[in-house]
Amino acid sequence: KKVERIINQLMLDKGYNQGQVDITAKLDDKQQMAVVIKVDTGPKTRIGKVVFPGLDKKKVPAAFLRKGIKTNKPHGLMSALSGSDTYNKEKMGEDIEEIRLRLQQKGYLEAKVGTPSFSFYNDRNVLGGIRRMIKISIPVKMGPQYRMGDIHIEGNKVVKTDYIKTLVKLKKGEIYN
């Protein structure tokens, strides 16, 4: 079972999410154990699309969120060459956290990123062949957008208030990041 888990983990790391491992052990007539490990990797799971249901594209472009994804990128020339268009289940949590942080950069401090859902579809490659791709839907609830209000500096006794105000780069009405 430990070997089976290790092989499954190695397949997941390489993008073979549909792989299967079958291990059989037989005792022969000479009291020796014969272990047969049969590995079927299945096809690599390539990401065709990443969509964000619930995202207001007028306020935050989907491309801005996709740029934050480090591991599970949609298929394209650069992602195909780097292998980052291969679905990696283990790294999905990091990508979701990065999407949430990018929404916060745009002032949506209460943004919530939901559990992704997956669906398969067939797509044509450059040579006209059909390949099976995965579509990842990551639901987003943006919440209210926050902007800077008045900035008050209190309690300073050593440094002048005017000097501290010059250090603060935020202006009233700007989107809070």
Side-chain angles (χ1 to χ4, degrees), residues 82-108:
S82 67
S84 58
D85 67 341
T86 304
Y87 175 63
N88 187 326
K89 187 178 186 179
E90 303 295 316
K91 301 283 184 172
M92 195 69 208
E94 293 173 20
D95 289 337
I96 288 173
E97 181 61 22
E98 189 61 36
I99 291 167
R100 190 181 65 75
L101 290 173
R102 285 193 152 243
L103 285 167
Q104 289 179 346
Q105 287 176 6
K106 294 290 186 179
Y108 297 99

Side-chain angles (χ1 to χ4, degrees), residues 39-58:
V39 178
D40 178 16
T41 58
K44 259 192 177 184
T45 307
R46 300 256 184 220
I47 302 167
K49 299 175 188 171
V50 178
V51 295
F52 303 97
L55 179 69
D56 186 346
K57 294 176 182 123
K58 293 176 185 168

Side-chain angles (χ1 to χ4, degrees), residues 4-70:
E4 186 176 346
R5 279 194 308 272
I6 291 170
I7 293 171
N8 276 322
Q9 186 61 47
L10 290 170
M11 285 192 297
L12 285 174
D13 290 344
K14 297 294 182 183
Y16 295 102
N17 296 290
Q18 299 170 18
Q20 295 179 344
V21 179
D22 183 36
I23 300 176
T24 55
K26 296 178 185 175
L27 189 63
D28 65 10
D29 55 346
K30 296 179 185 174
Q31 297 299 327
Q32 293 182 347
M33 186 66 69
V35 179
V36 177
I37 302 173
K38 188 175 181 182
V39 178
D40 178 16
T41 58
K44 259 192 177 184
T45 307
R46 300 256 184 220
I47 302 167
K49 299 175 188 171
V50 178
V51 295
F52 303 97
L55 179 69
D56 186 346
K57 294 176 182 123
K58 293 176 185 168
K59 296 179 180 176
V60 179
F64 177 74
L65 297 183
R66 277 190 214 102
K67 283 182 184 176
I69 297 173
K70 303 290 183 225

